[in-house]
Amino acid sequence: MTQPVVHHVIHDHSAPVFDTCALTYDQRLMRRRVLTSDGGTAFLVDLQQTTSLNDGDLLVLDDGRHVRVTAAAEPLYRVAGDLARLAWHIGNRHMPCQFAGDHLLILRDPVIGHMLADHLGAQVEDVEAPFVPEGGAYGHGRTLPHAH
């Protein structure tokens, strides 16, 4: 039996799913890659262009089944303090950032963690959690180059 192939992604979060596939933020940027679903089914993702997959997107297998992408837990910093000021500094360094009410979540980076805690007075805590950062102004998910 040949391996199922994914040629497109849909954003219909209500469609029935066959399985899920937990991926980190970096893993959710892809064009061509072999993945294994959480239930153990291997499949090839072969998209026309590099795509940023969002938590909840559906990979459509060539046999019609759907695999839901989920954000996997990964090493992050939980950042608290003067959120507007801290978010400005994080954005100024072009770091993806998830707004979570009374704190921010960012990918763990010791240099940025040091800057936030020691130079900007933030409370920085190591956590493991799914990471779904704010999308760019020109689309959903991470900001990719855009054509005019």
Side-chain angles (χ1 to χ4, degrees), residues 81-138:
D82 181 353
L83 296 187
R85 181 170 175 252
L86 297 170
W88 186 90
H89 282 280
I90 291 166
N92 192 46
R93 281 140 185 95
H94 302 281
M95 290 198 65
C97 181
Q98 180 177 338
F99 293 85
D102 65 346
H103 65 277
L104 307 171
L105 292 171
I106 61 171
L107 294 169
R108 217 178 278 173
D109 178 314
V111 172
I112 298 299
H114 170 77
M115 175 199 71
L116 293 169
D118 296 343
H119 297 283
L120 297 172
Q123 295 84 50
V124 178
E125 174 187 354
D126 291 351
V127 297
E128 296 269 336
F131 186 51
V132 185
E134 187 73 17
Y138 297 102

Side-chain angles (χ1 to χ4, degrees), residues 6-10 21 23 30 35 43 45 47 53 56-61 64-69:
V6 171
H7 292 293
H8 66 281
V9 177
I10 59 174
C21 187
L23 301 170
M30 73 178 69
L35 297 176
F43 57 94
V45 175
L47 303 173
L53 301 174
D57 283 351
L58 298 178
L59 303 172
V60 181
L61 302 178
R65 294 179 295 171
H66 298 141
V67 175
R68 184 177 313 282
V69 173

Side-chain angles (χ1 to χ4, degrees), residues 22-44:
L23 301 170
T24 65
Y25 178 71
D26 287 340
Q27 292 170 335
R28 293 193 312 264
L29 182 65
M30 73 178 69
R31 191 195 85 63
R32 192 168 206 273
R33 182 178 304 154
V34 174
L35 297 176
T36 302
S37 73
D38 297 334
T41 300
F43 57 94
L44 171 66

